[in-house]
Amino acid sequence: MSESSGLPAAQQRRIVRQLLGDIATRLETNRPDRPFTAVSRIAVIQATTMDPVLGRAVRDMAPDVHGETTRRAYAARLRRILTGGAR
C-alpha cells in the first residue's frame, strides 16, 4: 500500500496512467494546435486531479515542457510514455 495515498501502489499506478491518458485525450481534442507551455502542463495536471498525492505522481510521470510544442505534440509524448516508449 502506498503510505502517502492510502491506495495500494498498483492501484495508484493504474489511476495515474488513466489520468495521463485523460490529459492526452483532452489535449488532442481541445485546441490541439495551440501552444503548450510549462505553465500549461501544471494547469492541466491541477485540472485533472485535486488529490495532492496523485497530482505529484502525475507530475513525476508527465515530461517537462522545453521550447515550443503544441497540445497535440505533448499528447503524443504522453501516449508514448503510456505505451512504454521514450519520454
Side-chain angles (χ1 to χ4, degrees):
M1 185 172 315
S2 172
E3 286 183 40
S4 53
S5 69
L7 295 172
Q11 184 178 1
Q12 182 174 324
R13 281 191 301 275
R14 273 193 308 276
I15 292 169
V16 168
R17 292 179 61 78
Q18 177 63 50
L19 292 172
L20 287 172
D22 292 348
I23 290 169
T25 298
R26 187 174 317 124
L27 295 176
E28 291 164 340
T29 58
N30 297 311
R31 304 180 323 267
D33 295 320
R34 298 289 301 207
F36 192 76
T37 65
V39 173
S40 303
R41 175 183 169 269
I42 296 301
V44 76
I45 291 169
Q46 287 178 334
T48 301
T49 181
M50 296 296 286
D51 183 290
V53 174
L54 292 175
R56 248 186 326 275
V58 170
R59 278 193 309 276
D60 289 346
M61 278 193 73
D64 289 333
V65 177
H66 301 287
E68 293 183 24
T69 193
T70 63
R71 293 166 62 92
R72 181 188 326 264
Y74 191 79
R77 289 178 70 189
L78 292 178
R79 298 274 186 219
R80 281 192 299 276
I81 290 167
L82 291 172
T83 59
R87 289 183 103 175

Coordinates of all heavy atoms in Angstrom, one line a residue:
M1 N 0.8 -1.2 0.0 CA 0.0 0.0 0.0 C 0.9 1.2 0.0 O 1.9 1.3 0.7 CB -0.9 0.0 1.2 CG -1.9 1.1 1.2 SD -3.2 1.2 2.5 CE -3.8 -0.5 2.5
S2 N 0.5 2.2 -0.8 CA 1.2 3.5 -0.8 C 0.9 4.3 0.4 O -0.3 4.6 0.7 CB 0.8 4.3 -2.1 OG 1.4 5.5 -2.0
E3 N 1.9 4.5 1.3 CA 1.6 5.2 2.5 C 1.1 6.6 2.3 O 0.2 7.1 3.0 CB 2.9 5.4 3.3 CG 3.4 4.1 3.9 CD 4.7 4.3 4.7 OE1 4.7 5.4 5.4 OE2 5.5 3.5 4.7
S4 N 1.5 7.3 1.2 CA 1.1 8.7 1.1 C -0.3 8.8 0.6 O -1.0 9.8 0.9 CB 2.1 9.4 0.1 OG 2.2 8.6 -1.1
S5 N -0.8 7.8 -0.2 CA -2.2 8.0 -0.7 C -3.2 7.1 0.0 O -4.4 7.3 -0.2 CB -2.2 7.7 -2.2 OG -2.0 6.4 -2.5
G6 N -2.7 6.0 0.6 CA -3.6 5.1 1.2 C -4.1 4.0 0.2 O -4.9 3.1 0.6
L7 N -3.7 4.2 -1.0 CA -4.1 3.2 -2.0 C -3.0 2.2 -2.2 O -1.8 2.5 -2.1 CB -4.3 3.9 -3.4 CG -5.4 4.9 -3.5 CD1 -5.3 5.7 -4.8 CD2 -6.7 4.2 -3.4
P8 N -3.3 1.0 -2.6 CA -2.3 0.0 -3.0 C -1.4 0.6 -4.1 O -2.0 1.3 -5.0 CB -3.0 -1.2 -3.4 CG -4.4 -1.1 -2.8 CD -4.6 0.4 -2.7
A9 N -0.1 0.4 -4.1 CA 0.7 1.0 -5.1 C 0.3 0.7 -6.6 O 0.3 1.6 -7.4 CB 2.2 0.5 -4.9
A10 N -0.1 -0.6 -6.8 CA -0.6 -0.9 -8.2 C -1.8 -0.1 -8.6 O -1.9 0.3 -9.7 CB -0.8 -2.4 -8.2
Q11 N -2.7 0.1 -7.6 CA -3.9 0.8 -7.9 C -3.6 2.3 -8.2 O -4.1 2.9 -9.1 CB -4.9 0.7 -6.8 CG -6.2 1.4 -7.1 CD -7.2 1.3 -6.0 OE1 -7.0 0.7 -5.0 NE2 -8.4 1.9 -6.2
Q12 N -2.7 2.8 -7.4 CA -2.2 4.2 -7.7 C -1.6 4.4 -9.0 O -1.9 5.3 -9.8 CB -1.3 4.7 -6.6 CG -0.8 6.1 -6.8 CD 0.0 6.7 -5.7 OE1 -0.2 6.3 -4.5 NE2 1.0 7.5 -6.0
R13 N -0.8 3.4 -9.4 CA -0.1 3.5 -10.8 C -1.2 3.4 -11.9 O -1.1 4.2 -12.8 CB 0.9 2.3 -10.9 CG 2.2 2.6 -10.3 CD 3.3 1.6 -10.7 NE 2.9 0.2 -10.4 CZ 3.1 -0.4 -9.2 NH1 3.6 0.3 -8.2 NH2 2.7 -1.6 -9.0
R14 N -2.2 2.6 -11.7 CA -3.3 2.5 -12.7 C -4.0 3.8 -12.8 O -4.3 4.3 -13.9 CB -4.3 1.4 -12.3 CG -3.9 0.0 -12.8 CD -5.0 -1.0 -12.7 NE -5.6 -1.1 -11.4 CZ -5.2 -1.8 -10.4 NH1 -4.1 -2.5 -10.6 NH2 -5.8 -1.8 -9.2
I15 N -4.3 4.4 -11.7 CA -5.0 5.7 -11.7 C -4.2 6.8 -12.4 O -4.7 7.5 -13.2 CB -5.4 6.1 -10.2 CG1 -6.5 5.2 -9.7 CG2 -5.9 7.6 -10.2 CD1 -6.7 5.3 -8.2
V16 N -2.9 6.8 -12.0 CA -2.0 7.8 -12.6 C -2.0 7.6 -14.1 O -2.0 8.6 -14.9 CB -0.6 7.8 -12.0 CG1 0.4 8.6 -12.8 CG2 -0.7 8.3 -10.5
R17 N -1.8 6.4 -14.6 CA -1.8 6.1 -16.0 C -3.1 6.6 -16.7 O -3.1 7.1 -17.8 CB -1.5 4.7 -16.3 CG -0.1 4.3 -15.9 CD 0.2 2.8 -16.1 NE 0.1 2.4 -17.5 CZ 1.0 2.7 -18.5 NH1 2.1 3.3 -18.2 NH2 0.8 2.3 -19.7
Q18 N -4.2 6.3 -16.0 CA -5.5 6.7 -16.6 C -5.6 8.3 -16.6 O -6.1 8.8 -17.6 CB -6.7 6.2 -15.7 CG -8.1 6.7 -16.1 CD -8.4 6.2 -17.5 OE1 -8.3 5.0 -17.8 NE2 -8.8 7.1 -18.4
L19 N -5.1 8.9 -15.6 CA -5.1 10.4 -15.6 C -4.3 10.9 -16.8 O -4.7 11.9 -17.4 CB -4.7 10.9 -14.3 CG -5.6 10.7 -13.1 CD1 -4.9 11.1 -11.8 CD2 -6.9 11.4 -13.3
L20 N -3.1 10.3 -17.0 CA -2.3 10.8 -18.1 C -3.0 10.6 -19.4 O -2.9 11.4 -20.3 CB -0.9 10.0 -18.1 CG 0.0 10.4 -17.0 CD1 1.2 9.5 -17.0 CD2 0.5 11.9 -17.2
G21 N -3.7 9.4 -19.6 CA -4.5 9.2 -20.8 C -5.6 10.2 -20.9 O -5.9 10.7 -22.1
D22 N -6.2 10.6 -19.8 CA -7.3 11.6 -19.9 C -6.7 12.9 -20.3 O -7.3 13.6 -21.1 CB -7.9 11.8 -18.5 CG -8.7 10.5 -18.1 OD1 -9.0 9.6 -18.9 OD2 -9.1 10.5 -16.9
I23 N -5.5 13.3 -19.8 CA -4.9 14.5 -20.2 C -4.6 14.5 -21.7 O -4.9 15.5 -22.4 CB -3.6 14.8 -19.4 CG1 -4.0 15.1 -17.9 CG2 -2.8 15.9 -20.0 CD1 -2.8 15.1 -17.0
A24 N -4.0 13.4 -22.2 CA -3.7 13.3 -23.6 C -4.9 13.5 -24.5 O -4.9 14.2 -25.5 CB -3.0 12.0 -23.9
T25 N -6.0 12.8 -24.1 CA -7.3 12.9 -24.9 C -7.8 14.4 -24.9 O -8.2 14.9 -25.9 CB -8.3 12.0 -24.3 OG1 -7.9 10.6 -24.4 CG2 -9.7 12.2 -25.0
R26 N -7.7 15.0 -23.7 CA -8.2 16.4 -23.6 C -7.3 17.3 -24.6 O -7.8 18.2 -25.3 CB -8.1 16.9 -22.2 CG -8.7 18.3 -22.0 CD -8.8 18.7 -20.5 NE -9.2 17.7 -19.7 CZ -8.5 17.2 -18.6 NH1 -7.3 17.8 -18.3 NH2 -8.9 16.3 -17.8
L27 N -6.0 17.1 -24.5 CA -5.1 17.9 -25.4 C -5.3 17.7 -26.9 O -5.2 18.6 -27.7 CB -3.7 17.7 -25.0 CG -3.3 18.1 -23.6 CD1 -1.8 17.7 -23.3 CD2 -3.5 19.6 -23.3
E28 N -5.6 16.4 -27.2 CA -5.8 16.1 -28.6 C -7.1 16.6 -29.2 O -7.2 16.9 -30.4 CB -5.8 14.6 -28.8 CG -4.5 13.9 -28.6 CD -4.5 12.4 -28.4 OE1 -5.6 11.9 -28.0 OE2 -3.5 11.8 -28.6
T29 N -8.1 16.7 -28.3 CA -9.5 17.1 -28.8 C -9.8 18.5 -28.6 O -10.8 19.0 -29.2 CB -10.5 16.2 -28.1 OG1 -10.5 16.3 -26.7 CG2 -10.4 14.7 -28.5
N30 N -9.2 19.2 -27.7 CA -9.4 20.6 -27.4 C -8.3 21.5 -27.8 O -7.2 21.5 -27.2 CB -9.7 20.9 -25.9 CG -11.0 20.1 -25.5 OD1 -12.0 20.2 -26.1 ND2 -10.9 19.4 -24.4
R31 N -8.4 22.2 -28.9 CA -7.4 23.2 -29.4 C -6.1 22.5 -29.6 O -5.0 23.0 -29.1 CB -7.3 24.4 -28.5 CG -8.6 25.1 -28.3 CD -8.5 26.3 -27.4 NE -7.6 26.2 -26.3 CZ -8.0 25.8 -25.0 NH1 -9.3 25.5 -24.8 NH2 -7.1 25.7 -24.1
P32 N -6.0 21.4 -30.3 CA -4.7 20.6 -30.4 C -3.6 21.3 -31.0 O -2.4 21.0 -30.8 CB -5.1 19.4 -31.3 CG -6.3 19.9 -32.1 CD -7.1 20.8 -31.2
D33 N -3.8 22.4 -31.8 CA -2.7 23.1 -32.5 C -2.2 24.3 -31.7 O -1.3 25.0 -32.2 CB -3.1 23.4 -33.9 CG -3.3 22.2 -34.8 OD1 -2.6 21.2 -34.6 OD2 -4.3 22.2 -35.5
R34 N -2.8 24.6 -30.6 CA -2.4 25.7 -29.7 C -1.1 25.4 -29.0 O -0.8 24.2 -28.8 CB -3.5 26.0 -28.7 CG -4.8 26.4 -29.3 CD -4.8 27.8 -29.9 NE -4.4 28.7 -28.9 CZ -4.6 30.0 -28.8 NH1 -5.3 30.5 -29.8 NH2 -4.2 30.7 -27.8
P35 N -0.4 26.4 -28.6 CA 0.9 26.1 -27.9 C 0.6 25.5 -26.6 O -0.4 25.7 -25.9 CB 1.4 27.5 -27.7 CG 0.8 28.4 -28.7 CD -0.6 27.8 -29.0
F36 N 1.6 24.7 -26.1 CA 1.5 24.1 -24.8 C 2.8 24.4 -24.1 O 3.9 24.2 -24.6 CB 1.4 22.5 -25.0 CG 1.1 21.8 -23.7 CD1 -0.2 21.9 -23.2 CD2 2.0 21.1 -23.0 CE1 -0.5 21.2 -22.0 CE2 1.7 20.5 -21.8 CZ 0.5 20.5 -21.3
T37 N 2.7 25.0 -22.9 CA 3.9 25.5 -22.2 C 4.0 24.8 -20.8 O 3.2 24.0 -20.5 CB 3.7 27.0 -21.9 OG1 2.6 27.1 -21.0 CG2 3.4 27.8 -23.1
A38 N 5.1 25.1 -20.2 CA 5.3 24.6 -18.8 C 4.2 24.9 -17.9 O 3.8 24.1 -17.1 CB 6.7 25.0 -18.3
V39 N 3.7 26.2 -18.0 CA 2.6 26.6 -17.2 C 1.3 25.8 -17.5 O 0.6 25.4 -16.7 CB 2.4 28.1 -17.3 CG1 1.1 28.5 -16.6 CG2 3.6 28.9 -16.8
S40 N 1.1 25.6 -18.8 CA 0.0 24.8 -19.3 C 0.1 23.4 -18.7 O -1.0 22.8 -18.3 CB 0.0 24.6 -20.8 OG 0.0 25.9 -21.4
R41 N 1.2 22.8 -18.6 CA 1.4 21.4 -18.0 C 0.9 21.4 -16.6 O 0.1 20.5 -16.2 CB 2.9 21.1 -18.1 CG 3.2 19.8 -17.4 CD 4.8 19.5 -17.5 NE 5.1 18.4 -16.7 CZ 5.5 18.5 -15.4 NH1 5.5 19.7 -14.8 NH2 5.8 17.4 -14.7
I42 N 1.3 22.4 -15.8 CA 0.9 22.4 -14.4 C -0.6 22.6 -14.3 O -1.3 22.0 -13.5 CB 1.6 23.5 -13.6 CG1 3.1 23.2 -13.6 CG2 1.1 23.7 -12.2 CD1 3.5 21.9 -12.9
A43 N -1.1 23.5 -15.1 CA -2.6 23.8 -15.1 C -3.4 22.6 -15.5 O -4.4 22.3 -14.8 CB -2.9 25.0 -16.0
V44 N -3.0 21.9 -16.5 CA -3.8 20.7 -16.9 C -3.7 19.6 -15.9 O -4.7 18.9 -15.7 CB -3.4 20.2 -18.3 CG1 -2.1 19.5 -18.4 CG2 -4.5 19.4 -19.0
I45 N -2.6 19.5 -15.2 CA -2.5 18.5 -14.1 C -3.4 18.8 -13.0 O -4.1 18.0 -12.5 CB -1.0 18.3 -13.7 CG1 -0.2 17.6 -14.8 CG2 -0.9 17.5 -12.4 CD1 1.3 17.6 -14.6
Q46 N -3.4 20.1 -12.6 CA -4.2 20.6 -11.5 C -5.7 20.4 -11.8 O -6.5 20.1 -11.0 CB -3.9 22.0 -11.1 CG -2.6 22.1 -10.4 CD -2.2 23.5 -10.1 OE1 -2.7 24.5 -10.7 NE2 -1.4 23.7 -9.0
A47 N -6.0 20.6 -13.1 CA -7.4 20.5 -13.5 C -7.9 19.0 -13.6 O -9.1 18.7 -13.6 CB -7.6 21.1 -14.9
T48 N -6.9 18.1 -13.7 CA -7.2 16.7 -13.8 C -7.4 16.0 -12.4 O -8.3 15.2 -12.3 CB -6.1 16.0 -14.5 OG1 -5.9 16.6 -15.8 CG2 -6.3 14.5 -14.7
T49 N -6.7 16.4 -11.4 CA -6.9 15.9 -10.1 C -6.6 16.9 -9.0 O -5.6 17.7 -9.1 CB -6.0 14.6 -9.8 OG1 -6.3 14.1 -8.5 CG2 -4.5 14.9 -10.0
M50 N -7.4 16.9 -8.0 CA -7.2 17.8 -6.8 C -6.5 17.0 -5.7 O -6.1 17.6 -4.7 CB -8.5 18.3 -6.3 CG -9.3 19.2 -7.3 SD -8.3 20.7 -7.7 CE -8.6 21.6 -6.2
D51 N -6.3 15.7 -5.9 CA -5.6 14.9 -4.9 C -4.1 15.3 -4.9 O -3.5 15.0 -6.0 CB -5.8 13.4 -5.2 CG -5.2 12.6 -4.1 OD1 -4.0 12.5 -4.1 OD2 -6.0 11.9 -3.4
P52 N -3.5 15.8 -3.9 CA -2.1 16.2 -3.9 C -1.2 15.0 -4.2 O -0.2 15.2 -4.9 CB -1.9 16.8 -2.5 CG -3.0 16.4 -1.7 CD -4.2 16.0 -2.6
V53 N -1.5 13.8 -3.7 CA -0.6 12.7 -3.9 C -0.6 12.2 -5.4 O 0.4 12.0 -6.0 CB -1.0 11.5 -3.0 CG1 -0.2 10.3 -3.3 CG2 -0.8 11.9 -1.5
L54 N -1.8 12.1 -5.9 CA -2.0 11.8 -7.3 C -1.4 12.9 -8.2 O -0.8 12.6 -9.2 CB -3.4 11.4 -7.7 CG -4.0 10.2 -7.0 CD1 -5.5 10.1 -7.3 CD2 -3.2 9.0 -7.4
G55 N -1.6 14.1 -7.9 CA -1.1 15.2 -8.7 C 0.4 15.1 -8.7 O 1.0 15.3 -9.8
R56 N 1.0 14.9 -7.6 CA 2.5 14.7 -7.6 C 3.0 13.6 -8.5 O 3.9 13.7 -9.2 CB 3.0 14.5 -6.2 CG 3.8 15.7 -5.6 CD 4.4 15.4 -4.3 NE 3.7 14.6 -3.3 CZ 2.7 15.0 -2.5 NH1 2.4 16.3 -2.6 NH2 2.1 14.2 -1.7
A57 N 2.2 12.5 -8.4 CA 2.6 11.3 -9.2 C 2.4 11.5 -10.7 O 3.3 11.1 -11.5 CB 1.8 10.1 -8.7
V58 N 1.4 12.3 -11.0 CA 1.2 12.6 -12.4 C 2.3 13.6 -12.9 O 2.9 13.4 -14.0 CB -0.2 13.3 -12.7 CG1 -0.3 13.9 -14.1 CG2 -1.3 12.3 -12.4
R59 N 2.6 14.6 -12.1 CA 3.7 15.5 -12.4 C 5.1 14.7 -12.6 O 5.8 15.0 -13.5 CB 3.9 16.6 -11.4 CG 3.0 17.7 -11.5 CD 3.3 18.9 -10.6 NE 3.6 18.6 -9.3 CZ 2.6 18.5 -8.3 NH1 1.4 18.7 -8.6 NH2 3.0 18.2 -7.1
D60 N 5.3 13.7 -11.8 CA 6.5 12.9 -11.9 C 6.6 12.2 -13.2 O 7.7 12.0 -13.7 CB 6.6 12.0 -10.7 CG 7.0 12.7 -9.4 OD1 7.3 13.9 -9.4 OD2 6.8 12.0 -8.3
M61 N 5.5 11.7 -13.7 CA 5.4 10.9 -15.0 C 5.3 11.8 -16.2 O 5.8 11.4 -17.3 CB 4.3 9.9 -14.9 CG 4.6 8.7 -14.2 SD 3.4 7.4 -14.5 CE 3.8 6.9 -16.2
A62 N 4.7 12.9 -16.1 CA 4.5 13.8 -17.2 C 5.8 14.6 -17.5 O 6.3 15.2 -16.6 CB 3.4 14.8 -17.0
P63 N 6.3 14.5 -18.8 CA 7.6 15.1 -19.1 C 7.5 16.6 -19.0 O 6.4 17.2 -19.2 CB 7.9 14.7 -20.5 CG 6.5 14.3 -21.1 CD 5.7 13.8 -19.9
D64 N 8.6 17.3 -18.7 CA 8.6 18.7 -18.6 C 8.5 19.2 -20.1 O 8.7 18.5 -21.0 CB 10.0 19.2 -18.1 CG 10.1 19.0 -16.6 OD1 9.1 18.9 -15.9 OD2 11.2 18.8 -16.1
V65 N 8.1 20.5 -20.2 CA 8.0 21.1 -21.5 C 9.2 22.1 -21.6 O 9.4 23.0 -20.8 CB 6.6 21.9 -21.6 CG1 6.5 22.7 -22.9 CG2 5.5 21.0 -21.3
H66 N 9.9 21.9 -22.7 CA 11.0 22.7 -23.1 C 10.8 23.2 -24.5 O 10.5 22.5 -25.4 CB 12.3 22.0 -23.0 CG 12.6 21.4 -21.6 ND1 13.0 22.2 -20.5 CD2 12.5 20.1 -21.2 CE1 13.1 21.4 -19.5 NE2 12.8 20.1 -19.8
G67 N 11.0 24.5 -24.7 CA 10.8 25.0 -26.0 C 9.4 25.1 -26.5 O 8.5 25.0 -25.7
E68 N 9.2 25.2 -27.8 CA 7.9 25.3 -28.3 C 7.3 23.9 -28.6 O 8.0 23.1 -29.2 CB 7.9 26.2 -29.6 CG 8.2 27.6 -29.3 CD 8.2 28.4 -30.6 OE1 7.5 28.0 -31.6 OE2 8.9 29.4 -30.6
T69 N 6.1 23.7 -28.3 CA 5.4 22.5 -28.6 C 3.9 22.8 -28.6 O 3.4 23.9 -28.2 CB 5.7 21.4 -27.6 OG1 5.2 20.1 -28.1 CG2 5.0 21.6 -26.2
T70 N 3.1 21.9 -29.2 CA 1.7 22.1 -29.3 C 1.0 21.1 -28.3 O 1.7 20.1 -27.9 CB 1.1 21.8 -30.7 OG1 1.4 20.4 -31.0 CG2 1.7 22.8 -31.7
R71 N -0.3 21.3 -28.1 CA -1.0 20.4 -27.2 C -1.0 19.0 -27.9 O -0.9 18.0 -27.2 CB -2.4 20.9 -27.1 CG -2.5 22.3 -26.3 CD -3.8 23.0 -26.4 NE -4.9 22.2 -25.9 CZ -5.4 22.3 -24.6 NH1 -4.8 23.1 -23.8 NH2 -6.4 21.5 -24.3
R72 N -1.2 18.9 -29.2 CA -1.2 17.6 -29.9 C 0.2 16.9 -29.7 O 0.2 15.7 -29.4 CB -1.5 17.8 -31.3 CG -1.5 16.5 -32.2 CD -1.6 16.8 -33.7 NE -2.4 18.0 -34.0 CZ -3.6 18.0 -34.4 NH1 -4.3 16.9 -34.4 NH2 -4.2 19.1 -34.7
A73 N 1.3 17.6 -29.9 CA 2.6 17.0 -29.7 C 2.9 16.6 -28.3 O 3.4 15.5 -28.1 CB 3.7 18.0 -30.2
Y74 N 2.4 17.3 -27.3 CA 2.6 16.9 -25.9 C 1.7 15.7 -25.6 O 2.2 14.7 -25.0 CB 2.3 18.0 -25.0 CG 2.7 17.7 -23.6 CD1 4.0 17.8 -23.2 CD2 1.8 17.2 -22.6 CE1 4.4 17.5 -21.9 CE2 2.2 16.9 -21.3 CZ 3.5 17.1 -21.0 OH 3.9 16.7 -19.7
A75 N 0.5 15.6 -26.2 CA -0.3 14.5 -26.0 C 0.4 13.2 -26.6 O 0.3 12.1 -26.0 CB -1.7 14.7 -26.7
A76 N 1.0 13.4 -27.7 CA 1.7 12.3 -28.3 C 2.9 11.8 -27.4 O 3.1 10.6 -27.3 CB 2.3 12.7 -29.7
R77 N 3.5 12.7 -26.8 CA 4.6 12.3 -25.8 C 4.0 11.5 -24.7 O 4.6 10.5 -24.2 CB 5.3 13.6 -25.3 CG 6.2 14.3 -26.3 CD 6.8 15.5 -25.7 NE 7.8 15.2 -24.7 CZ 8.4 16.1 -23.9 NH1 8.1 17.3 -24.0 NH2 9.3 15.7 -23.1
L78 N 2.8 12.0 -24.2 CA 2.2 11.2 -23.1 C 1.8 9.8 -23.6 O 2.0 8.8 -22.8 CB 0.9 12.0 -22.6 CG 1.2 13.3 -21.9 CD1 -0.1 13.9 -21.5 CD2 2.0 13.1 -20.6
R79 N 1.3 9.7 -24.8 CA 0.9 8.4 -25.3 C 2.1 7.5 -25.4 O 2.0 6.3 -25.1 CB 0.2 8.5 -26.7 CG -1.1 9.3 -26.7 CD -2.2 8.5 -26.4 NE -3.5 9.3 -26.5 CZ -4.5 9.2 -25.7 NH1 -4.5 8.4 -24.7 NH2 -5.5 9.9 -25.9
R80 N 3.2 8.0 -25.8 CA 4.5 7.2 -25.9 C 4.9 6.7 -24.5 O 5.3 5.5 -24.4 CB 5.6 8.0 -26.6 CG 5.5 8.1 -28.1 CD 6.8 8.6 -28.7 NE 7.2 9.9 -28.3 CZ 6.7 11.0 -28.8 NH1 5.8 11.0 -29.8 NH2 7.1 12.2 -28.3
I81 N 4.7 7.5 -23.5 CA 5.1 7.1 -22.2 C 4.1 5.9 -21.7 O 4.5 5.0 -21.2 CB 5.0 8.3 -21.2 CG1 6.1 9.2 -21.4 CG2 4.9 7.8 -19.7 CD1 6.0 10.6 -20.7
L82 N 2.8 6.1 -22.1 CA 1.9 5.1 -21.7 C 2.0 3.8 -22.4 O 1.6 2.8 -21.9 CB 0.4 5.7 -21.9 CG 0.1 6.8 -20.9 CD1 -1.3 7.4 -21.4 CD2 0.0 6.4 -19.5
T83 N 2.6 3.8 -23.5 CA 2.9 2.6 -24.3 C 4.3 2.0 -24.1 O 4.7 1.1 -24.7 CB 2.6 2.8 -25.8 OG1 3.5 3.8 -26.3 CG2 1.2 3.1 -26.1
G84 N 5.0 2.7 -23.2 CA 6.3 2.2 -22.8 C 7.5 2.7 -23.7 O 8.6 2.3 -23.6
G85 N 7.1 3.8 -24.5 CA 8.2 4.4 -25.3 C 9.0 5.4 -24.6 O 8.8 5.6 -23.4
A86 N 9.8 6.1 -25.3 CA 10.7 7.1 -24.7 C 9.9 8.3 -24.3 O 8.9 8.6 -24.9 CB 11.8 7.4 -25.6
R87 N 10.4 9.1 -23.4 CA 9.8 10.3 -23.0 C 10.2 11.4 -24.0 O 9.7 12.3 -24.2 CB 10.3 10.8 -21.6 CG 9.8 9.9 -20.5 CD 10.3 10.4 -19.2 NE 9.1 11.1 -18.6 CZ 9.1 11.6 -17.4 NH1 10.2 11.5 -16.7 NH2 8.1 12.2 -16.9

